[in-house]
Structures are given as C-alpha cells and as structure tokens.
Amino acid sequence: MDANKQNISRKKNQTNPSTSTQQIFGANKLEIGENDASRLVGSIIEKGVSEIPQNKPTPPPQVTVLPFPVARHRSHGPHWGPTSNRKDGNDNNEDDGEDDDDAIYSNPLSAFVHPVKRKQKKRLDLSRWRELVPTDNSLEIDEVEKNRVGLKNTGKFRKDGEAADGVEKRKLLNDPLRASEVPMEVDTEAELSSSMPPAEVKESITSAADMEIENRALSEMLKKREQLNQTVVSSSGFNSYGNEKGFKPLEGEIDAENRSRLQSMSAEEIAEAQAEIMEKMNPELLNLLKKRGQEKMKKKNVSRPDEAVSSQVDGIPIENRLLKHSEISPHAGSERSEMMTLNTSKDSNSGLDNNVLHDFSTTSGCLWNTWSERVEAVRGLRFSLEGTVIADEPETGNITSGDGHSADNVAERDFLRTEGDPGAAGYTIKEAVQLTRSVIPGQRALALHLLASVLDNAIHGIQQNKVGSSVSNANHVDKSDDWEAIWAFALGPEPELVLALRMCLDDNHYSVVLACVKVIQSALSCDLNETFFDISEKTATCEEDIFTAPVFRSKPDIDAGFLHGGFWKYNAKPSNILAFSEDIVDDEIEGKHTIQDDIAVASQDFAAGLVRMGILLKMRYLLEADPAAPLEECIISILLGIARHSITCANAIMKFQRLVNTVVHRFTMGDNIEVRPSKIKSVRLLKVLAQSDKSNCIELIKNGFVQAMTWHLYRYTSSLDYWLKSGKEICKLSSGLMVEELRLWKVCINYGCCISCFSDIFPALCLWLNPPTFTKLQENNVLGEFASVSKEAYLVLEALSRNLPNFYMQKHASNKMSDFAGDEQESWSWSFVTPMIDLALKWIESMSDPYISKIFELEKGNRSEFVFQDSSVSSLLWVYSAVLHMLSTLLERVIPEDALRLQGSSQHVPWLPEFVPKIGLGVVKNGFLSFIDELCHLRQHSKSEISLASVCCIHGLIRVFVSIDKLIQLAKRGVHSPPSQEYRFSGEAKILEDGILKSSSVELKCVLNFFIKFVTSEWHSVQSIETFGRGGPTPGVGIGWGASGGGFWSMTVLLAQTDARLLTSMLEIFQLSTTEVPTNEEMVFTMNMISSLLGVCLIIGPRDIPVMKKALDILFGVPVLKYLAFYTRRFLQLNETVKIFGWEYKEEDYVSFGNTLSSHFKNKWLSVKRKLKATPEDNFKGKSSLETIHEDMDISDMTRQDNHSTSLTAEWAHQRLPLPLHWFLSPIATITNNKQGCFQSASDTRNLTEDTHDTLEVAKGGLFFLLGLETMSSYLPADAPTPVRCTPLIWKLHSLSVILLTGMGVLEDDKSRDVYEALQNLYGQLLDESRSIRSAECFSEDNVNVLPENGKKSTVEFLRFQSEIHESYSTVLESLVEQFASISYGDIIFGRQVAVYLHRCTETPVRLAAWNGLANAHVLEILPPLEKCFAEAEGYLEPVEDNEGILEAYVKAWVSGALDRAASRVSMAFTLALHHLSSFIFLFHANDKITLRNKLAKSLLRDYSKKTRHEGIMLELVRYYKPSSRLPEKQEGLALQASDIEKRFEVLVEACDKDSSLLIEVEKLKSAFVKKQSVDRL
C-alpha cells in the first residue's frame, strides 16, 4: 500500500510530463503477455522488481554479518546502499533506464521517502481483549480516557532519550546528504510534502534560517501523527513514535525545582522542614506513602532498564492499564471479568458495534495478570526457521565483518526488523511479519515459512499438554515451551499477522503465495481439526458435527441469580463477517467498508477477519489459475476450515457459485481415475457444506454436484485381489476418497434425500460389506484402509435404517421403495434389509476367526508381536461398532412406537420377524457376552482411539441386547408363538427366552460400575477448560481456541462425552427399586449413580441435548427422589444440631417435584436462543454493520429433532452447554421463570400471579433436591470428587438469599421452611469448619497468638460475594434488605440469612454495604440474637474489626440512635457494634490505628454528652469483655478487674487529646460507672 502511494507521488513530481509509464529497474519496459495476464489477476506488481530478465545482471549484495537475510525497505529498490550515499562515478556505466530511475531518486522530495526507523518496542495491547467497565458506567469510561490522555500529554511514560532523537532528527533534516535517513511516516509526510511546492520543501529543510518554519512543519506532522494513532490500530506495526516535542515533562520540572531548592538549604533547615511536614501529615498516610515508595524502589531495582520502554502501549504501560481495569471494575478480577473487542476506530460510522461485552470467568484477578504476562513474554522470543525457540545468547560485543560493515551499520540498514536486536539469531514473530513486506521474494517466502513453522509447533505443543492445565499451572510453565502463550500472541488482537497474510495472497510470486496459504492453513488448525472430526464421525453415537467459530459466554443476569453458564455468543457477530454481498455493490455501502472494520473483526475472530477481507474471492482466483497440486490442496483445506467455522461462512461459500463450480470442475477434470489428496478434501468440503444446512444439500443435489463427486461409489471392484494389485498408496488414497464419498451420501440420507441411489450403489459396496481375508490385508499392510471403507459403509446402512418405516406399519412383502412427492423425505424399504442383516452377521461370525482372536488375545496380554497391532485393533473395533449400531437401529424400527412410549403388560406384537432371534443367536453364539470384558480392558488403553472404539462397541452391544429383549418380551405376550421354525440351540435359546440382560446382569452391573467411576473422574477436566468465560483464550477455530490439550476439541473430552452417552443408556436399563429400608449395597450404588449423573450433566456438550434430557429424566424420577428423601431423614436422625422434621413427603409430592424440576432444568439450561428474523429491508442491501444481537431474544425449548431437520451441524452459540458447576442451584437462585425477565410488557401482568406460583413451586422442589444432594454427599467418602462438594459454599449461601428476593413464600410453607432452616444449619457447620481450618493455617504460619493485644488478625474473608459472584452484588443486598424490612416482620429464619453478610468471613465491602443498608432501613433491631444465628458466634466476633469504614459505620449507627432498640432487644447488630468498638478502642494497640481509635472515642464521648440515655450502653462499652478460649486465666462470666477498668478510662482520657469538654464527659462516665458498680453490689 505504501509503495503504491510512493509511486503515485513520484509520477506527479517527474519533470517530464509526457512520460506515460514509469521505468522499472532491470527492464526497459513492462510487458505482460496473454499467458501471463491470468497470473496477475488480483495480484500486485512489486515496485522495483520485474519478472522479466534484466538486460544487465545485478551485482550480488555485500556480505552481511547476520545469520539471516537482512530486509530492506522498498523505497530503495534492489540497491544495497542508500541512494543518497552513492557516488556519481559509480553509475556512469548504467543504461538509460537506470539513469531515469536515478533521476527520480534525485528529486528533492526523496528526502521524505525514507526507510522506517526502528519503532518502539511495544507490548501486547491486552486491554483490547476485555471491556474496561460495563457499558452502563460511561462516566468511569470517560474518566479513564481523560486520565490516559492526561498521562500521555505530560510525557510521563515517554522513552528515555526521546529528546535526543528529536535533536538528531533536526540535524538529519538540515543535512541533505543524510536526509534519506530520516524515518518515513506513512501517509503523514506524504501529505506534508504534497501540500508544499518542491522548492519550499527544500528550502524549509536545508535553510538554517528558517528553523521556525521547520518546527511548525514538524509540529503539524506530529499532530497528524497523533491523530493517526487514534484511528489506526496502535499495534499495526506502522505507528508513529508518539510525542517527540522537546518539552520537559511536568514531573521532571517539579523534580528539578525540588532538587535545586534542597541544594540551597542547610541540613538544619531540611530537618526542620521534614519535622514540620511530619507533624502536619496523617501518620497513616505517611506510612502509606513510605510503603509505596519502597515498592517503587524495589520495582525499579528489579526491572530492566528497557522494560519500561517495551511495556508502553499508546503511551501507558500495560501494567498500569491492567491496574486501572481492576480499580475501575472490580468485576474484571472476578469470575465474571469481561473482555472487549478491538476498537480500532472512534468514528460512529465505522460500521461495527464496539460495545459488545465479552465475559470471562476467573477465580482471581491475578489469574488474568499471570496470563497477560505469559503472553507478553512471547514478544521477546526469537525463533529459528524450524519454528523452535532460540535460547538467549550472551552478548559478544560489536562484531565486524571483513569489509568493514559492523553490526551497528547493519542495524541501520535492517529497517524492516524494527523490534529486538537486528544482529541476534532468529526472528521474533513481529520481525517475521515485518519481513513479509520485503522487496525480495525469497525473504518474503522465508518469513512466511518461519511463521508457518512457529504456528505448527505451537498448535502441536498445545495439543500435547494436559487438558485444563493452561492457567492452573501457569507458574510452572517454561517460557521457551509456553506454546499456548505463543499461539495467543500470534493470533491475538494485534492485527499484523492477518493483514500481512491477506496482502501476501496478492503476491505475484508462486513461492510466496504457497507459503502464505500454508501459514493460513496452520493458523486455522486445518489438519488437527480434520483429525478430530474424522474420529468423531466414527463414533456412530453422535450424528452431528459442530461449528468451530470461537465463542464467549454472555453476562450473568440478576434474574438468573448471577449464575454462570449464560448463552454462548460468537466472538464476531455473524452480521459483521460479510461486509456486503458479492452481487450487490453499492458505492455508499462500499465507502463505509474500511480496513479498520476488517481489523476489528479479525481481532475478534481470525477466520472471520479473513472472510471479511475477501479471502473467498482470492481462493477462487487462485483455483481458476490452475494451481499446482500442493497449492490446490492447501486452498481446499482453507476452504474446508472456513466452511466448518459457522453457518454464516458456509453459506458465504455457497453464495459464491463460481467457487463451488470451480471446486467441482477441478474434481472432475482430467484423469478421473487418479486420486489426489485435493480430491478427497474437495468431497469433504461439499459434505461440510451440505451438513451445515438442508437447503445447501438440496441445492448441491439439484446442481448435480453430489452425483459428480460420488461417482466412484458406482465403480464395481471385482475382487479383493484386484484392489490389492493397485498398491498400498493407491489403496490408501482410494479408500480415503470412498470414505468421504460415503459420508457425503450419508449426509444426504439423513436429510431424506438420495435414498433411491441405494439400488445402484449396493453392488459396488458388496466387497466392503463382506468380511475380507484378513491375512492378505495384513500382508499388504492395508487392513486399516479396508476396514475404514467397511465401517463407513455400515454407517451408511445405519442411516438408511433410520429412514425405514415402522415394521408393523408396512407390509413385509412390499418390494418397492416408498417415494413421496414434492419435497417430502424418501424412505427405505424393508425388502432390502434381509441381505444387509446377512452381511452384518458375517462380520459378527468373524469374531471366531483365528486372526481376530489372536489380535485381541495379544492385546489383552499386552504383547507386541504384531507391528501394526494398535492400528489393527482400532480398525476392527470401528467396524464391529458400526455393524452393531446398524443392527440395533434396525431392531429399534421393529419395536412398535406405542411400546416405546407406553409401559405395560398389554403391549405385544402380532408376530416376531425371523431375523430378530437370528441376530440374537449370532451375538450370543460368537461370544459377544464375554467380549464385553475385553472391551472394558481396551477402554483403559493408552491410545485414545482404541478406548473410544471400545466404548462405541459396548454401546452398540447394549443397544442390541435391549432391543432383542424388548421384542422377545413383546412377542411372548402375544397369543401366537412366532416363527414356525424352531431353534434347537438349547443354551442360546434359553438365554434369549430369559433375556440377554437378565442372563448377563452381573457382567453388565460390573460394566456400569466401571463407567460410573470413569465419568466421576472425567467431569473435572471438562470443567477446567473454560477460561475467562471462553472456550479458549485465542480467537482461532476449533483446536485453535488455544485451550491446553485442545480443550473442548480434545480426545479427552470426546472420550468423556462418549462415556457419558453410554452411562446414560445403561442407567435407563437398570431402574432403581424403591424399598422402605434399602440395603447398604443399594444405598452405595444409588449414591454413586446420582453422583455420576451430576457428572454427566457437566460433561455433555452442544451435540448431546437428547442425552442431557435422558439424564434429567432419570435424576428427577420418583425412585431417585425417594432415595434423596431417605438420605435426608437418616442424616437428620444422626445429626443432633439439626431438628428432625415432624412430617414426611408423600408419593404425590415426589411426582410433583419430579415434573416441576425436570421442566425447570430443561427450560433453563437446554433452551436455545432463536435468531431474530431479518427484515426484507435488511436483506435487500448488504450493510457494513448490523444491529447488536440483543440478550432478550426469543428463547424456546428447541429440541434436537427440530434442529435435525434443517442442519446436521450444531452450534456452540445460542445455547448453554456445558453446564457450570453450580447448575443444580438454579431452582432457588432464579428470581423469575419468565423468559423475558424484566422486559415484560404491561399486557403480560395478568400472568404475574401464575409466574410467581410457578417460581414458588420450583423453589420448593429445588430446596428439597438441594438438601437431598447435601445429605447424600455427607455419606460419600471424604475424597470422593462430587460436584455438590466442589461447588463453593459462597454460591450455596447466595442461592438461599436469592430465593427470598421473590417473597416469603418458601418460609410461609411449613415443609419448605423446615428444609430451608435445615440447609442454613448445614451450611453454618460448613462455614464454621472452613473458618477453623483457615484460622489454624494462619495461626501456624504466623506462629504467634492471634490476639487483639498483638494488633494482628486472622484474614479469613473467604466469602467474597462481590469478587466471585458479581461486582454489583450490592444490588442483591439492597433488594434483600428491602424485602427483610418490608415483609419479614422480624422473621428469625430470614434474619439469620441476612446476618450471614455481617459474618467476619464475608469480604469487607459486602459487610459494609449490608450494615449500611440495614441501618438506613432502621431494621438493625429486628436481626436475631447472635446465639440464634446459624454459624458460631465466634465467626461474627473474631478477628476484631479494624476496617475504618466499618468501624465508622458502627459509630454512626450508635450516634444516630439506630442501635438503641437493638440494645434492648439483644439484637446481634448491637452485639457486633459493642464487641468490635470496645475491642478496637481498648484492646487493639496497633500504632498505625491510634488516630482512628481516638477519632472513634471522641465521637462516642460527644454523643454521650448530648444524649444522656446512652449512658447505659456507654457503660457496657467500657466494661465489655468477651471471654476467649485462648486465655485460660480469665474465666467466662468473671468481671473485669479494677485495674483493667482504670486502664480503659485512661485510654479514653488519652483519646480526648486534652479536650476539656471531653475530659469532663470521661469523668462523668467514670462517676456513673462507680455508682453503677455500687448499686450492683447492693
């Protein structure tokens, strides 16, 4: 871009206006032939470089001391040295073209065309990753901006030596010979030079007498540069240098003035001034300033000199930015901290909504700071060409080469390496990105190869880590191997990489374009994502894929009780991905489309940014230019990665008809028999497009693309030997192509299309549906390739089986395929089923094959005689899994639909198809009952693919067992015995008659316990993935989200979700039996089952909503609820601190609770946010921006079946899975069940009573369910990782408070009131235990008695409601206090819940807000006594309060009279104020608190002087003493000694500061105390 602008500028200033073309160095004329024109489509011609051979060879460059090529700026062309330094005599032999080129360079305006000076080392602008403050705090945002601008103007953070640089620049401007060394500013100096005539420019530069003009010009240039910094991305690599004015910073002036004054003062004067300052200043403030100064000195000594320079971003250090974020928005350091998108333009017409709040969850603010430091540390890492980190080398001094060129001289010429040390080995990521703009194609290709290597190493390094270890083990990460931070830095919000890649795609050198597409392929994680999806499609238990676009969680809502687990939202709004459509180009719309908008989208989502920048058009141009095979394969991979991104990107590809046509044309052109990797990926691309939406699939079918891309399926292969003769490589490629074509056909079948093609394709599939000769395949090492085709063929048959009509609804004799008219789905016919079953049973019988038996025996014995043992095992397991799932689906289509819905003895079938017992006997005879043990053993295999295949096999077997047992039982209930043929296999027939599940119940029960343990141990890894409210910290795609180990896209999570599906299916089989007194074995099994079901709910992902519904149905079934009630009764009987209920739940209560809770959880967590329909006006024209996707969109319980008919790809966005850890608290933490929340219109108020009643019923059920889970968890082993135990206590206490915001309904009902009180008592015990543990830890660490006398306290404030739940938690407190004041009438249960916010374990801001709210509402007196609170009194009283704000609040309530009635009613409020004030004033002797102590005492004495009625409570204050278990010499109830009382009055006298009026009050109080004491003695 900058080169083109310079060309235009030079053409305008040429002395010969008749010249129509500019000469190119090395060629007399630019000639483009017809064959070359296609190569330049969408490309640029490098300035100063030509593809035409030069008439005269260019001399080689001089030797450099650098180990890597040194890039030079384009303004210098191919010359080695700067043009201004070349001697005229050296150019005498150049030809005319070069003379003309020199004439251009000798123009005076060339003084303003200079290489880019080394720019300042800038840190990662992490502030652009998260929102500074919520959008409603606009005043705070303005304040931050004012402070930032003010700091920038004062120059506090300016680089050292910047003034010297300004002087050096003026010297360069005055020296014509060195003028070319002045750094060039993009678009600023060009404007300056173009606005002045050449003569004036030259005069202003060279004349020493016109320095004023020069300063004014520089000032204007700097002003423009400052404006440019505000509109152009600060991290784009072409930033201006900031303020370079020669003014001294304000701080420097003040410091200089102070130092000069100090020098003029004597030592005595200095000491006197210091003493005067010390007397005037507050001692606390003085200590604070001293401490701050010491910390600053420590930081200055520890930090390196260049650290302050490298940490500046837009003039403010990033540490200060993060600090400001935490100060302005405490929420940023909580579990709901927020991230924001990159705001590159402040123009309201930029077209992007930059007010989107991106939420993220952290357990601590330091977690984000630690991650920021890790990412920022990548800036200084240097990489080799292989993408490995180069260790720091020791400084070796100045190295000089033989020709006199030193490293310093090279640094002056290495203009593109603007960061780091130009002489160091390797390149940083920023240097490599800068090198992509080199004039030399080889250097551009080299830089791109380096970037591709770094990205490949990073993404593979991330995948090798353990899932969930990204942030938790941050302190143990080696900087050189921190691939997660390297990946995040490369794809982070700084847009240099995506911009450089998009520009390199327009290069006219093939090597550069190829290297560029490889970098994009690595950045999109194409290969690893495809590996994940390939394994995922083999499972057969999940029919859907899932889009890979990066997402983040929406903000927690007050109506939802601030529970986490909000709807996922796309990082980049789908409406912003496409600026405008290809067929509609409007000048007005096109003008609004700016590069800043593209950068903003790219910073949010890397792939979306590329699409917005027009990469699809460029991919089409490259494909139409007939690229070579490597380039074509990379292009198809990129298109595949974009198609998997989102439905928006998939539809964007479909709208480019020429692009899809080109892909299909290149697949069918040339030799159709030849199979290339690009062809395989082309078929996969069409499959992904068809899978994304049914309309896309129908369009591909109508255009003939599906038939053209699947023609290989119609090719008949005569025999296995014929296939093997083609060779291993051909077999590998052909099998891969067939697998993709079968998958494309399967997608069409799932939509109900192309089913009629079965008759034509089946003959060609017979070879793959029959078991092969395994020894031949093993000898040729192609067993895996053959098995992959067989597996996919049976999965296609399984998809066809789902399209069968119910067996008893269609005549068995029908041989015709049922086709429906119009757009309705086709259905398969039962006439094709029998041959398929026979082929499947052949595979079942192959289990007895010696080769198969030997493989599994070797695997079981852990021997390794076969080299390809692991691959053989996994390949065969996938085939058996596909066969079993196909058979189970066929059997399920035989079971009548009524029998599936209804349970009862009246259900039966008229006859039993012959193939049903045939399948059952085949499974039993061939040892599949005992094979389950071997599969469980393989589940523990180290290879995840083998483990995954074994789980799928077990799942298929269980499905077959269940279906066969169901059909046989239904047939036995009929009048007539089915099939005339009698089976004489007594043993096997007996098993079928009794039921396979019953006969193998012991083995299956072991399998169930086996997977219960697995699921119980797996949910932790899934819950640890979500970081900062995102699926990963990086805006990549799929695995490119950057989460450790792959995160949600890892094999660990895929295996956990597969285990969860199997466990849910098995739990449906083993129904719980309810008895009055269950045995210990039944209790243990039920507890493990419930705990594992909770784990299943935490593992389930967006593709498994039906599995989640099954789990909820089991969890809220009547048997489970009865067991929870039994655990509760038993716990209350054994726990003396909780009273026993005087009532019991009835059967109808369990049914009501089950229905209510199941409906609530499904509506709450499984609802899908529907997209708003676009208006016709919106679709008529493309817009540069669309409206924000509002949070109050229509929410509906869209089931998977509804979505299945339109798309086979699930979305992360618009749903909530995976669930948060505290999801089971939602019934009591949800304020309203109304989906519109507070946006309810007036017309809906008539439903308010209904909603309140529903909310109350849900809350009652939620209380019962929560108490049952808590009591059940108490019986589990202490080390059992149950979700209930792992949920922080703070969320449970918070939920009990939220339920009271809706009213007193739960406390007015007797049963729910008792349950609520029991939960309070239970959580009170947990609170006391936690406090004791933390106090003991602090006591052991300090190794001193934590007593008030020592001035120390135990920091046990772990109930961080505001820090961990929500920064606006004061809103909840205000509403809770308002409810307590208005409707509670002093209810003791309500008061106990409010009192928990005054507990010493509650963080200070929340305690202060709670006290102030209660005091302002004048309800302190209705709080319960301290002994009636559900936590120990010690927790409210110790450690002694020393926070100034809270102590002043106590005094304010004391003085205002708010505690008068509280004292008479013995309210805990008065006890708290009395204890903390008395202890602080009389027992707390910390030196830094004396001023505060005196201030409080004076306030109390003044109040006593005005209010004689406060004499009684003042006497209690003086003589108050709380006995402590740590002071054995003082016994409880013993009055204070006279000496102690005397000391307390001395404290009051000292606090008066010789104030006579206050001293009188002390004496008065003392007299009253003596009088009171005398009366008491009488």
Side-chain angles (χ1 to χ4, degrees), residues 1388-1404:
I1388 189 171
I1389 302 298
F1390 204 140
R1392 287 173 10 137
Q1393 187 61 32
V1394 175
V1396 76
Y1397 295 103
L1398 300 177
H1399 198 278
R1400 277 299 275 120
C1401 292
T1402 304
E1403 61 182 338
T1404 301

Side-chain angles (χ1 to χ4, degrees), residues 1198-1219:
M1198 187 173 69
T1199 62
R1200 180 180 176 278
Q1201 286 75 13
D1202 298 333
N1203 189 37
H1204 182 75
S1205 60
T1206 59
S1207 178
L1208 294 174
T1209 308
E1211 289 186 280
W1212 274 94
H1214 313 132
Q1215 56 86 39
R1216 299 178 185 268
L1217 301 177
L1219 298 182

